Amino acid sequence: MTQTAHTSTSPGKQMLSEHVYAHLRDAIMRGDYAPGDPLKPQALAKEQGVSLAVVREALVRLVGEGLADRLPNRGFAVPALSDRRWQEIAEARRTIEPVVLRMSIERGDVDWEARVRAAHHRLARTPAYVPEEGAYYSGAWSEAHRVFHRTLLEGCGNAVLLETFDRMWTASELARRWAAHRTPERDGIDEHRRLEEVALTRDADTAAEVLAQHLTQTAAALTGRTHHEPPKDA
């Protein structure tokens, strides 16, 4: 007898999994879970009123985005501050993004300049912290921050390089929030203003250096290493 094929995941289960995924992602991003905290499927299933399978599906998705770790024989957990991946991602960004910024400065037109100014204006005018969103960066600021950095690089005109940036940005979002929380004295407003300034004056050498320093400070905050900024007029 011929049996009708069924998809492995029903629409209802997909909807529940999406809901649990979004809930956990927001909670991790807000700082409701500390680095290294366990993510216990059974407890989460009870809390969310869903099946264990739904929770596991959501957790596997978080693992794929670097927002959770799957630990052999120990379930799931929020990544640790000491995880080597953060330094590897930072190294990749310091290697690639200054090169792409150079290309962007060399190739960007007047429309690119206008977009950089607009993106920086939005970033500068968006509150970084909103009490109801927890201790970490607000969603609106995080998006304005992403758009500013991506716009700086968009003048390169290379879709493959921009896709690489997108992947690295997503992978580093959690580390970026932790780093900011550990270094509240950091003057991100001035760092971004400086980036806009050197990019729009078409000073590719200085812009690449300023961007590399900007990225280095985030990685250093996770290791506890101090990083001395160069003079503001350097």
Side-chain angles (χ1 to χ4, degrees), residues 39-52:
L39 298 168
K40 301 177 181 178
Q42 290 183 331
L44 291 169
K46 182 177 181 180
E47 173 191 307
Q48 294 297 306
V50 297
S51 70
L52 197 58

Side-chain angles (χ1 to χ4, degrees), residues 4 51 60 71 90 129-130 150 169 175 189 202 207 227:
T4 303
S51 70
V60 167
L71 308 176
Y129 300 97
V130 177
R150 195 182 198 279
W169 186 271
I189 294 174
R202 304 284 180 161
H227 176 78

